[in-house]
Amino acid sequence: MPASRLWVVDVYGRVFSLSTAGQQWEQCRDAQMEFKRVTAAQQCCWGIACDNNVYLNVHASDLPIRYQEETYENQRWNPIGGFSDHLLPSDRWQWSDITGLKHQPLDSFELPSSSWEWEGDWYVDENFEGEPTEKEGWTYAIDFPAFYTKNKKMTSCVRRRRWLRYRRYKDMDTWAKIPSPQMETPDPFSDISCGGWEISEEPRGRLSLWAVSLLGKVWFRVGIYHHNPEGSMWEEVSVPGEVLQISCGPGDLVWAVLWEGQLIVRQGITRDCSKGTSWVEVESPSPDVGATHVAVGINTVWALTKDNKVWFRRGVDSHNPCGLGWISMVGEMITINVGLNDQVFAIGCEDRAVYFRQGVTTSELSGKTWKAISVPRDGDRSHSSASTNSLQSAGCFFSGEVRAQSVVSDVELDTEKVSTDGASCLVTSTSPESVVDAPTDNPDQPIETPKPRIPKVTSDSFISELISDREPAKTLREGGSAGPAVPEEEETLPSEGEVKALSALDAADTSSLSSVATYTLAMEDPYGTDEHPLWAWVSGGGCSVDSHSHLNWFNSVNTSSLVGSVQSMSLSVTSAQTAAWRQQIFEQLTERTKREMDNFKHYEQAIEQSVWVKKGTMQWWRDWKPYKWIDVHFALEQFSGPEGNKDGILFIYYNFYEEKKYLHAFVNELTILVPVLNESKHTFAIYTPERTKQRFPIRLAAATELEMHDWVCMDTSQHSQRKSFYYHRLALLSVSCWDIFVSEPSPALEAMPYPTPCDQMFWRQVGGHLRMVECNTVGIVWGIGYDHTAWVYTGGYGGGFFQGLASSTDNIYTQTDVKSVYIYENQRWNPLEGFTNRGLPTDRYMWSDASGLHECTKTNMKPPSTQWTWVSDWAIDYSVSGGTDKEGWQYAADFPVSYHGRKGKTDFVRRKRWKCKLTTTGPWQEIPPIALSDVTILPCTAQSNVDEVPLWAISNKGDVLCRLGVTALTPAGSSWLHVGTDQPFKSISIGAASQVWAIARDGSAFYRGSVSPQSPAGDCWYHIPSPSKQKLRQVSVGRTSVLTVDENGNLWYRQGVTPSYPQGSSWEHISNNVRKVSVGPLDQVWIIADKVQGSHSLSCGTVCHRLGVQPVEPKGILWDYGIGGGWDHITVRGNSMEPPRVRLPSLTDASAPAPRSPIPFRNMEVNSSAGDS
Amino acid sequence: MADDKDVLRDVWFGRIPTSFTLNQDEVTEREAEPYYLLLPRVSYLTLVTDKVKKHFLKVMRAEDVEEMWFEYEGTPLKWHYPIGVLFDLHASNTVLPWSITVHFKNFPDSDLLHCPSSSVVEAHFMSSIKEADALKHKSQVVNDMQKKDHKQLWMGLQNDKFDQFWAMNRKLMEYPTEEGGFRYIPFRIYQTMSDRPFIQRLFRPVSPEGNVHTLGDLMKEMDPAALPNDGEPKRYQVVIHGIEPLLETPLQWLSEHLSHPDNFLHICESHNPPSPVLSSVYISTPPTTTPPLLLSEDLFIGREG
């Protein structure tokens, strides 16, 4: 799970955030002013500053917020001047939108606010429905509201072209003021709350923002979504009373508190009406004491009353937003907030610490206990390290004395003393004014006398008062000036009284202060926990934690959290692994082996190795017709040979017409064991070379899923001698049924003319769960999950059901994936009742899958395996191609017909969508935050570990991205560079000479010009026409070859690609029935084939290898079929193992011109730039 | 990158080269040759010495044979301690192979338990596992296992089947992540200097404040004398499986990785400092009760650095 942040404001108006992966409050340095309140979503944070304006802080992302403005230029032909601006009076504007109704010349476009900037100037779009147009981008038609083509015909009387310009939101990670004209908001805002992102995914990034003004009015910000993060305007929402505070949950819950102490609940919030329609009043939890504060989540409501008591509302959900009744909870809180996953945060009334409600789950929304978050602020960092040190060295020597003194404390007095005292302590005094700052900066309280000094924050007066006379926060900070303690002063210090206050100074303020702080800390460390900051406001709306999250927020100093914090973003070796104790154990064990065993190998072993037999029953898909599952006995005999090498034989005993028979397989000959998805059984397939040739693996069904996993693991442990290669590189990777397999490459694999047959390749499972993987020859491996999360391979293997021994324990991380499962609700119209769930006898099931052939009801749908759990309830899916009506129905004339979103006089079909989520573990680590749909890595050959490797990807929104900082040592890279495109893309591939090809969503191909190590993102896209009448789907580029697959499963080869003309000239058909293609660094071609001759249904998705691929015959000659059965993806881009050179005289003669030898391609960059210009 | 799993293998496949010689007082028909064997550190003497017995019975008359027992330098060896523990406790500084004397007479009833068959070893082994799980999981895991699972543990040990054993034992090593470890760490501390058989008390892997307990914490609690005071040379060695883990090693990790198959962490505390690391270098140095000061200081400094 990527790190997300909890936002807080302290009593001085400083904004801090705490990362779920972090262990300290980080001050929001950008804040030019103090804030009263903040409300966070995952992508941004809104706040009300002390100037009473609303500010927005959009979190920086590698993917910029860009908005495409477009306008059309229209022209009409006339016999005199040809096409010109002179239009008929009845025509549209010369510059208009696509409909022609709106006049929009280029200069009418303005930036919405000062937070935006133009990316470039206007330019003409030369791509028309996937086809490149003539240079000027004109498309022609007979008359204006008509069908346009890219070719000018005799009848073309009008033409138009599209102009594009992008604007970009630039104020990332800073607080940008939201323009609020006085007339819109006559009185300043006092409360703000954002949420509502789960009501609808359309448009992307949509948010509801509610605000309350000082006069008690409620405002709703209209039009906030991804491309318009600021929203467009404030709209007043009428309220039945004067509102004090409002809270908006991620879903459709909005509650507000009135000044009189009652609560009001917003009704009628739906997808189409995020503002809601009306209010319903709910009584305060306690009849005498009014409510002061409310916080809502998805299905949860918490409230506080004037006496600071905490209340939980029972029975709240989106059907009953008012809930049923109040339950009193323990704790006294000053504010409360509900974050993501209904997790609850609050600020304690007594100590002003942030509390996290532990144990909140969907079944127990009220949680178990409050737990204080105790982490230092980033400015305190020197403190905590100092305190640990001194705890260890100096021990608790001074603690008793200081504690006794601290009882007498009057902060006003003390801080003054301290400031003078601090000044006297300074070894290097720099700025005197900082010392003057100290008292105002420092009202921290000893725990013994908390109450009298706690500022009341129910009104903002305190903060305003506090901050009005303060200078803007200083961010001056110099390290290393901490002076060593002088012994005489140490003795005098306890008599100074309350020194402790100083340790709460924000060390960020000045260098001189931090030196003081460090100095006092030597005395103060037993009080480490006392000097906590005072918080005023908390917002968990951007903080993605749940009851399972491992947080290191609660014990900042102890060892466990230090070890626990290891799971950080970087892939570097974790501290636990490099710990001295661990190294010592490894070394000593090696030493022990040498000492006790090396000289005595000739001794006899005390225990003779014997055969271990595992027996049991399974079901077997029998070999002869009619095929069916039959019960069989099996025996797995495992034994060790004299040299300690292990082997085994699997026997399967069955009856053949009353006759006892068996079949057997040597475990060392098994090429792959793969789980096969089956609705009712836990089945897996065992392949041997022989079985692969026959296209009929041994299919077995175990009694339980666990047992099946034991079998699949067995394979790995049997071949433990092979395990070393997992650590090196994953050369040939394949993905099937979400499991990832790898085959060790051998030089013979691409040997000419007799390569290793595919059916003799050994495949091993890697562990983890992905939709696709890509790799290169230096061992960089990336994967993409079903939910488009990007993952990087960590070098281990196992995880998931490879528990215990079959798995490596390092580099295994939790992996989650979300896959959507769709079922359809079908209805038929009849004249009497209209649409009902009564179909004709010939109709499909009223609840079915997409094909209608299988019945799928809400209750009988099961997750694909026990590793999957449902994450959400059934919900209507509106984002169906063809569109839906308001209720999600799609209509069609009869069942197997294309559907559309508006009702005709026909039958209709509705589709519901259910998401299920997988949690497993594997040697993969997440690369947040951008979701990807494709990735490609330069298949480089020999390179050093630190050279940057080009890696390109496509986000799931279709943006093209270039990853920076990817090296063999840091395969995760550092950041994304966005590469602009005029339309969304879907597939991308980079070849060995940095040639980048991509496929746009509309099926057209693009070549990226001038990509080189110096200019990793290249300069511009060249539109390459697709094969006629075909929309391309996927591309793969090897050393020189460029191959694509189209929507109809055809495989195309790009002809005429030369160093000087890298775009090539034409497409040549190679094969059909292809699902995926992967071209390796040797230009070797492997595919996933859809249908293979003579195979059973299992072989849909077969790994195939193109034979006869060589420089003169880059398209190869024929296919060699490998393992079959449900493979979805393959990559061979990690295999650069040159085949042994067998030079056949006839072929070498023919290859004399050698247009594809790699040597001339070295000069590609020079040549191609010449060719492009 | 070394893997924690390799530690399990190294622990399991630890072997001690041993030479068995027949006690000179035994009556034999002809002279008995010594018998050489690689003993698994994690197994039990009576479980792995069938070959030894067979070897010596060849030279003896049947009527002179009583129950076989073993002795090293005058100390009868308790078969119910794992072999590695016996070696680390009594013979860690010896020149290899470890020379064990075999007796067939005068069974020392006061020192040793009788072991008429391997089923006694099995009963002892299983009771240790159950005791350990009582400490770790309130016996929940071991009680959830079936009879055949228990058998698999035992057969794994008896037949030296690492995979077979660990396929089952991994369940005994699991714990809820939120608790950070077992309920209590099953351990036994053996002291060469003490008359007590061993120290065994309740000790949690994590302190009430949430700090991870280390080997040093355990030793400080159980035997403060074992730890050197500041500036002093180290007086005791803390040995597990023939190695000396650093005192800052987390106890939970040790329990998961360096426990014997009986699920106990057997810790040997011995007085004689030549480190086993050095003993191979100084292999000719006879064991001395007071070591040369220089050597131990070197050791100490070397370790700190």
Side-chain angles (χ1 to χ4, degrees):
Chain A
M1 189 182 293
S4 53
R5 291 187 168 272
L6 176 70
W7 290 78
V8 291
V9 183
D10 72 2
V11 292
Y12 311 107
R14 293 173 301 194
V15 180
F16 287 81
S17 69
L18 173 60
S19 163
T20 48
Q23 275 183 278
Q24 62 172 343
W25 296 108
E26 287 164 44
Q27 188 170 359
C28 185
R29 296 284 175 207
D30 171 66
Q32 295 300 310
M33 58 194 67
E34 285 71 27
F35 277 78
K36 297 175 184 174
R37 291 186 174 179
V38 291
T39 176
Q42 275 186 305
Q43 68 269 31
C44 63
C45 186
W46 298 79
I48 300 177
C50 61
D51 64 357
N52 292 324
N53 279 309
V54 173
Y55 286 79
L56 167 66
N57 189 338
V58 179
H59 306 330
S61 155
D62 292 329
L63 207 58
I65 296 176
R66 308 165 79 222
Y67 186 83
Q68 178 186 290
E69 300 276 19
E70 65 166 28
T71 189
Y72 284 86
E73 182 182 4
N74 306 302
Q75 291 193 343
R76 179 173 281 280
W77 186 86
N78 65 60
I80 303 154
F83 281 104
S84 75
D85 305 344
H86 299 291
L87 298 165
L88 295 180
S90 62
D91 274 343
R92 53 186 60 193
W93 304 96
Q94 189 210 330
W95 293 92
S96 73
D97 66 352
I98 189 166
T99 61
L101 300 176
K102 193 175 159 206
H103 179 52
Q104 43 183 37
L106 294 182
D107 55 13
S108 70
F109 289 86
E110 281 176 8
L111 292 173
S113 76
S114 60
S115 298
W116 291 85
E117 64 188 2
W118 290 111
E119 245 178 27
D121 205 351
W122 288 96
Y123 65 95
V124 171
D125 178 24
E126 290 175 359
N127 174 25
F128 178 69
E129 290 171 357
E131 302 273 325
T133 61
E134 295 301 312
K135 200 67 200 157
E136 292 186 309
W138 292 104
T139 56
Y140 298 87
I142 295 175
D143 200 357
F144 269 123
F147 179 73
Y148 292 87
T149 64
K150 70 178 186 123
N151 297 321
K152 188 160 91 173
K153 298 187 189 122
M154 284 306 290
T155 53
S156 301
C157 293
V158 297
R159 66 178 186 179
R160 69 172 185 188
R161 60 179 173 179
R162 188 161 80 127
W163 289 77
L164 299 176
R165 191 179 193 186
Y166 287 93
R167 58 181 157 86
R168 180 193 292 257
Y169 188 83
K170 67 177 162 64
D171 282 348
M172 298 288 214
D173 268 351
T174 65
W175 292 98
K177 190 165 157 181
I178 296 301
S180 57
Q182 273 305 312
M183 50 185 191
E184 270 191 45
T185 57
D187 57 335
F189 288 132
S190 63
D191 188 39
I192 194 167
S193 180
C194 72
W197 49 82
E198 289 191 3
I199 303 174
S200 166
E201 283 151 16
E202 292 296 320
R204 173 158 74 106
R206 203 201 63 79
L207 279 186
S208 298
L209 181 71
W210 297 78
V212 175
S213 67
L214 269 184
L215 297 178
K217 291 182 176 154
V218 170
W219 301 81
F220 182 80
R221 183 83 182 166
V222 179
I224 305 174
Y225 61 100
H226 175 76
H227 284 118
N228 190 22
E230 304 155 291
S232 44
M233 60 182 288
W234 292 105
E235 271 181 17
E236 191 175 343
V237 178
S238 62
V239 277
E242 288 182 342
V243 173
L244 172 64
Q245 185 253 335
I246 196 163
S247 177
C248 173
D252 51 10
L253 281 187
V254 174
W255 282 54
V257 182
L258 300 181
W259 277 99
E260 288 77 28
Q262 316 92 314
L263 296 119
I264 50 174
V265 182
R266 191 71 179 166
Q267 302 272 338
I269 295 178
T270 61
R271 283 182 80 236
D272 304 310
C273 181
S274 49
K275 225 169 86 175
T277 50
S278 60
W279 297 101
V280 167
E281 198 172 304
V282 169
E283 276 308 303
S284 167
S286 129
D288 316 320
V289 192
T292 55
H293 201 101
V294 68
V296 303
I298 297 169
N299 285 316
T300 190
V301 174
W302 294 70
L304 303 176
T305 44
K306 281 203 177 71
D307 49 5
N308 297 326
K309 290 230 160 44
V310 182
W311 301 84
F312 173 77
R313 186 79 177 171
R314 187 164 56 83
V316 177
D317 59 34
S318 59
H319 305 297
N320 183 14
C322 295
L324 301 171
W326 293 104
I327 301 171
S328 175
M329 310 299 285
V330 292
E332 294 204 338
M333 300 296 171
I334 199 102
T335 63
I336 194 162
N337 187 268
V338 179
L340 299 177
N341 306 315
D342 285 342
Q343 301 295 310
V344 183
F345 302 90
I347 290 176
C349 172
E350 294 280 318
D351 54 2
R352 308 309 287 273
V354 177
Y355 285 86
F356 172 61
R357 186 79 182 167
Q358 279 203 315
V360 174
T361 62
T362 45
S363 54
E364 196 178 350
L365 287 165
S366 56
K368 294 200 171 79
T369 53
W370 294 107
K371 196 157 187 186
I373 295 175
S374 115
V375 293
R377 287 167 292 186
D378 48 359
D380 299 342
R381 210 49 181 168
S382 58
H383 296 203
S384 63
S385 62
S387 66
T388 2
N389 285 342
S390 49
L391 266 175
Q392 277 158 3
S393 55
C396 306
F397 187 70
F398 297 103
S399 64
E401 270 178 294
V402 178
R403 186 168 289 148
Q405 293 293 336
S406 67
V407 181
V408 277
S409 61
D410 180 346
V411 172
E412 292 291 316
L413 196 95
D414 286 336
T415 44
E416 261 173 314
K417 276 188 183 172
V418 166
S419 65
T420 52
D421 182 54
S424 72
C425 296
L426 293 181
V427 178
T428 52
S429 173
T430 46
S431 64
E433 81 201 51
S434 65
V435 181
V436 182
D437 265 357
T440 55
D441 225 333
N442 175 29
D444 206 330
Q445 290 301 307
I447 200 81
E448 291 87 350
T449 57
K451 267 202 167 160
R453 293 290 307 171
I454 298 286
K456 286 265 178 250
V457 190
T458 38
S459 84
D460 299 309
S461 56
F462 176 75
I463 296 178
S464 330
E465 170 192 304
L466 248 166
I467 55 194
S468 56
D469 55 349
R470 276 190 63 206
E471 294 165 20
K474 290 185 180 57
T475 49
L476 240 175
R477 199 171 169 199
E478 292 160 32
S481 61
V486 186
E488 293 96 273
E489 284 169 359
E490 263 181 46
E491 284 173 20
T492 60
L493 252 172
S495 62
E496 293 287 333
E498 187 48 45
V499 189
K500 172 166 45 140
L502 239 179
S503 58
L505 282 174
D506 186 3
D509 274 11
T510 62
S511 59
S512 56
L513 277 179
S514 72
S515 72
V516 176
T518 317
Y519 165 66
T520 48
L521 235 135
M523 322 267 30
E524 287 306 316
D525 45 65
Y527 285 89
T529 51
D530 289 1
E531 41 123 296
H532 67 75
L534 300 178
W535 302 117
W537 191 260
V538 60
S539 175
C543 180
S544 178
V545 295
D546 58 35
S547 51
H548 306 297
S549 301
H550 180 72
L551 296 171
N552 303 312
W553 291 350
F554 307 109
N555 284 299
S556 55
V557 212
N558 67 34
T559 347
S560 68
S561 57
L562 289 181
V563 176
S565 68
V566 154
Q567 221 169 5
S568 58
M569 290 300 304
S570 83
L571 267 180
S572 59
V573 187
T574 54
S575 67
Q577 283 161 359
T578 51
W581 56 262
R582 187 188 296 258
Q583 289 306 319
Q584 166 100 351
I585 284 172
F586 287 145
E587 280 163 24
Q588 288 198 9
L589 280 171
T590 313
E591 175 64 30
R592 188 195 75 173
T593 307
K594 210 184 282 174
R595 182 174 75 237
E596 296 180 352
M597 287 160 70
D598 274 9
N599 292 326
F600 303 96
K601 282 190 174 152
H602 55 288
Y603 277 33
E604 210 178 317
Q605 290 284 352
I607 304 172
E608 294 297 337
Q609 289 302 308
S610 53
V611 177
W612 176 33
V613 183
K614 179 178 174 180
K615 286 183 175 170
T617 57
M618 279 200 287
Q619 285 193 312
W620 175 53
W621 186 251
R622 70 180 189 190
D623 271 358
W624 63 89
K625 284 179 184 168
Y627 300 111
K628 64 173 184 182
W629 291 103
I630 57 170
D631 290 326
V632 292
H633 288 273
F634 72 89
L636 176 68
E637 288 188 14
Q638 292 177 282
F639 45 84
S640 308
E643 278 85 45
N645 54 334
K646 300 203 298 189
D647 202 354
I649 308 176
L650 173 69
F651 294 94
I652 292 167
Y653 302 96
Y654 59 93
N655 287 320
F656 184 72
Y657 298 116
E658 307 293 313
E659 191 184 343
K660 285 208 169 188
K661 286 196 155 193
Y662 72 88
L663 64 94
H664 69 278
F666 288 97
V667 171
N668 276 352
E669 282 184 0
L670 303 185
T671 51
I672 187 167
L673 270 102
V674 55
V676 178
L677 225 58
N678 184 306
E679 280 148 23
S680 53
K681 292 177 189 300
H682 309 285
T683 68
F684 57 99
I686 297 177
Y687 285 85
T688 62
E690 194 55 35
R691 287 269 168 184
T692 313
K693 270 203 199 86
Q694 295 166 4
R695 318 234 155 277
F696 204 99
I698 304 171
R699 287 183 69 183
L700 294 167
T704 66
E705 189 174 355
L706 197 71
E707 211 172 295
M708 179 189 84
H709 290 154
D710 277 350
W711 278 97
V712 180
C713 296
M714 172 201 81
D715 185 44
T716 316
S717 57
Q718 277 291 312
H719 294 269
S720 54
Q721 69 267 24
R722 292 173 172 274
K723 87 175 180 192
S724 59
F725 100 90
Y726 285 105
Y727 289 112
H728 299 315
R729 52 187 57 165
L730 304 181
L732 252 84
L733 286 151
S734 209
V735 178
S736 149
C737 312
W738 317 308
D739 295 315
I740 304 134
F741 287 83
V742 60
S743 181
E744 194 171 9
S746 72
L749 201 56
E750 300 295 338
M752 290 293 295
Y754 303 114
T756 312
C758 286
D759 47 29
Q760 284 174 25
M761 293 163 63
F762 284 93
W763 293 89
R764 300 284 165 259
Q765 196 164 359
V766 179
H769 176 279
L770 296 168
R771 184 175 58 86
M772 64 163 289
V773 282
E774 277 297 330
C775 62
N776 78 345
T777 52
V778 299
I780 299 169
V781 185
W782 280 49
I784 298 175
Y786 270 82
D787 59 355
H788 299 290
T789 310
W791 301 87
V792 64
Y793 178 63
T794 57
Y797 66 99
F801 51 75
F802 284 81
Q803 277 151 9
L805 295 180
S807 172
S808 60
T809 47
D810 302 328
N811 296 322
I812 299 293
Y813 301 91
T814 303
Q815 214 187 348
T816 61
D817 204 353
V818 177
K819 178 177 159 52
S820 293
V821 174
Y822 301 101
I823 63 171
Y824 294 82
E825 181 182 0
N826 306 303
Q827 292 194 343
R828 182 172 280 278
W829 188 85
N830 69 57
L832 290 178
E833 301 153 290
F835 284 107
T836 65
N837 56 8
R838 256 177 294 161
L840 300 177
T842 55
D843 270 348
R844 52 184 58 194
Y845 294 103
M846 286 298 104
W847 289 88
S848 74
D849 64 358
S851 72
L853 299 176
H854 302 283
E855 182 168 29
C856 299
T857 65
K858 282 193 202 178
T859 45
N860 76 358
M861 284 301 285
K862 279 188 290 195
S865 79
T866 51
Q867 292 188 71
W868 291 87
T869 50
W870 299 114
V871 286
S872 67
D873 205 350
W874 289 104
I876 298 167
D877 181 19
Y878 297 93
S879 53
V880 188
S881 70
T884 67
D885 71 0
K886 274 190 177 184
E887 290 182 304
W889 293 100
Q890 285 195 302
Y891 302 85
D894 200 355
F895 272 125
V897 184
S898 69
Y899 301 96
H900 40 89
R902 276 210 314 260
K903 183 180 177 297
K905 286 181 181 171
T906 46
D907 299 340
F908 68 20
V909 177
R910 158 156 99 172
R911 143 175 182 158
K912 298 219 176 194
R913 158 162 144 174
W914 202 5
K915 268 185 182 172
C916 74
K917 180 177 177 181
L918 172 90
T919 304
T920 178
T921 59
W924 302 90
Q925 209 172 21
E926 184 173 351
I927 300 174
I930 296 177
L932 301 183
S933 65
D934 195 17
V935 67
T936 180
I937 309 165
L938 182 104
C940 45
T941 44
Q943 266 200 335
S944 77
N945 275 352
V946 290
D947 282 350
E948 226 174 271
V949 179
L951 184 151
W952 290 63
I954 293 186
S955 80
N956 67 334
K957 303 283 186 273
D959 299 290
V960 177
L961 302 161
C962 186
R963 188 76 175 173
L964 303 177
V966 176
T967 69
L969 288 178
T970 55
S974 52
S975 62
W976 291 109
L977 184 68
H978 180 255
V979 179
T981 60
D982 292 337
Q983 53 177 324
F985 277 39
K986 62 182 175 186
S987 171
I988 196 159
S989 187
I990 181 168
S994 295
Q995 66 275 45
V996 174
W997 286 72
I999 306 289
R1001 288 240 174 110
D1002 64 9
S1004 49
F1006 284 87
Y1007 172 79
R1008 183 78 182 170
S1010 304
V1011 178
S1012 68
Q1014 290 74 40
S1015 158
D1019 60 0
C1020 63
W1021 293 105
Y1022 294 91
H1023 191 146
I1024 312 285
S1026 347
S1028 69
K1029 306 228 169 37
Q1030 299 294 347
K1031 290 197 180 304
L1032 295 176
R1033 188 169 65 191
Q1034 189 231 334
V1035 62
S1036 187
V1037 187
R1039 185 163 56 192
T1040 58
S1041 296
V1042 179
L1043 279 93
T1044 54
V1045 177
D1046 69 28
E1047 300 283 356
N1048 298 320
N1050 296 306
L1051 181 65
W1052 299 88
Y1053 173 79
R1054 187 70 181 169
Q1055 277 288 6
V1057 173
T1058 63
S1060 56
Y1061 194 66
Q1063 295 99 314
S1065 53
S1066 63
W1067 296 106
E1068 199 165 326
H1069 189 258
I1070 297 184
S1071 174
N1072 54 7
N1073 269 341
V1074 177
R1075 186 186 299 176
K1076 267 270 165 71
V1077 63
S1078 181
V1079 184
L1082 308 172
D1083 279 343
Q1084 70 269 44
V1085 178
W1086 291 69
I1087 56 158
I1088 301 289
D1090 253 344
K1091 297 179 197 92
V1092 173
Q1093 279 288 308
S1095 61
H1096 302 271
S1097 61
L1098 191 66
S1099 297
C1100 195
T1102 304
V1103 173
C1104 297
H1105 178 200
R1106 190 71 178 171
L1107 299 183
V1109 174
Q1110 50 179 314
V1112 284
E1113 190 60 56
K1115 289 177 297 177
I1117 296 159
L1118 76 164
W1119 295 112
D1120 178 27
Y1121 298 112
I1123 44 171
W1127 297 96
D1128 289 332
H1129 180 86
I1130 187 168
T1131 178
V1132 293
R1133 298 170 66 83
N1135 182 20
S1136 62
M1137 218 172 266
E1138 292 276 354
R1141 297 207 176 271
V1142 183
R1143 296 180 76 88
L1144 298 180
S1146 60
L1147 289 176
T1148 40
D1149 288 349
S1151 66
R1156 288 174 194 284
S1157 76
I1159 298 102
F1161 236 80
R1162 290 276 151 76
N1163 303 324
M1164 161 119 182
E1165 277 128 37
V1166 182
N1167 289 340
S1168 66
S1169 56
D1172 292 340
S1173 56
Chain B
M1 193 187 299
D3 194 325
D4 283 355
K5 200 180 120 191
D6 298 333
V7 174
L8 300 180
R9 283 190 176 271
D10 279 355
V11 164
W12 182 274
F13 290 107
R15 297 283 187 268
I16 297 166
T18 315
S19 80
F20 291 92
T21 38
L22 193 60
N23 178 25
Q24 287 166 350
D25 300 342
E26 304 282 340
V27 184
T28 57
E29 293 183 314
R30 56 178 191 274
E31 197 177 333
E33 296 281 321
Y35 193 76
Y36 299 96
L37 213 52
L38 284 174
L39 297 183
R41 273 181 162 270
V42 296
S43 195
Y44 299 92
L45 270 177
T46 45
L47 196 61
V48 295
T49 47
D50 283 350
K51 289 176 175 177
V52 178
K53 194 169 177 181
K54 211 183 277 174
H55 172 81
F56 290 117
L57 286 185
K58 282 191 278 192
V59 299
M60 293 181 67
R61 284 197 311 241
E63 59 266 33
D64 293 330
V65 176
E66 291 165 27
E67 186 175 348
M68 179 171 69
W69 59 282
F70 304 95
E71 163 250 302
Y72 170 70
E73 289 185 349
T75 315
L77 296 174
K78 295 182 170 68
W79 64 262
H80 61 282
Y81 289 2
I83 291 167
V85 172
L86 292 172
F87 180 79
D88 293 339
L89 204 55
H90 303 300
S92 57
N93 307 309
T94 188
V95 178
L96 291 172
W98 185 21
S99 179
I100 291 180
T101 311
V102 181
H103 294 259
F104 286 97
K105 264 193 289 197
N106 305 325
F107 192 90
D109 290 299
S110 55
D111 293 318
L112 299 185
L113 299 170
H114 284 282
C115 179
S117 75
S118 70
S119 62
V120 179
V121 187
E122 182 181 356
H124 166 72
F125 173 72
M126 288 315 300
S127 75
S128 291
I129 284 194
K130 285 171 187 166
E131 183 181 351
D133 200 54
L135 293 167
K136 289 198 284 194
H137 311 107
K138 297 182 177 172
S139 299
Q140 277 161 358
V141 179
V142 79
N143 288 345
D144 280 353
M145 288 183 175
Q146 295 172 338
K147 183 72 192 153
K148 73 173 171 69
D149 300 336
H150 292 174
K151 208 72 185 169
Q152 184 172 338
L153 287 168
W154 166 245
M155 296 296 278
L157 177 74
Q158 193 180 29
N159 298 326
D160 195 25
K161 296 283 183 228
F162 175 79
D163 293 321
Q164 188 183 354
F165 175 81
W166 269 98
M168 197 48 65
N169 197 50
R170 72 181 195 219
K171 294 180 185 161
L172 293 166
M173 290 297 176
E174 286 166 358
Y175 57 88
T177 34
E178 63 268 21
E179 277 163 35
F182 303 134
R183 218 160 62 90
Y184 297 105
I185 298 288
F187 71 91
R188 283 171 186 167
I189 298 174
Y190 304 83
Q191 291 163 305
T192 40
M193 299 302 110
S194 164
D195 296 335
R196 284 186 294 181
F198 49 74
I199 302 173
Q200 180 182 342
R201 272 186 264 162
L202 293 182
F203 195 79
R204 291 189 187 268
V206 180
S207 74
E209 297 82 41
N211 294 320
V212 166
H213 275 145
T214 63
L215 179 61
D217 296 332
L218 176 76
M219 298 311 292
K220 199 154 91 187
E221 181 89 15
M222 298 302 150
D223 183 16
L227 301 182
N229 291 329
D230 281 347
E232 267 184 79
K234 199 168 52 164
R235 290 175 297 177
Y236 294 91
Q237 287 176 276
V238 177
V239 176
I240 308 172
H241 288 291
I243 64 169
E244 279 189 83
L246 292 181
L247 290 177
E248 55 260 35
T249 312
L251 203 55
Q252 174 67 30
W253 190 93
L254 282 176
S255 183
E256 284 171 57
H257 295 90
L258 290 191
S259 283
H260 275 264
D262 64 5
N263 276 256
F264 271 89
L265 192 59
H266 295 272
I267 302 166
C268 297
E269 202 187 295
S270 60
H271 204 298
N272 21 14
S275 130
V277 181
L278 290 178
S279 68
S280 59
V281 182
Y282 297 92
I283 201 141
S284 54
T285 317
T288 49
T289 41
T290 48
L293 190 62
L294 187 66
L295 178 63
S296 64
E297 251 179 6
D298 280 348
L299 250 179
F300 181 70
I301 291 161
R303 207 162 297 276
E304 286 292 300

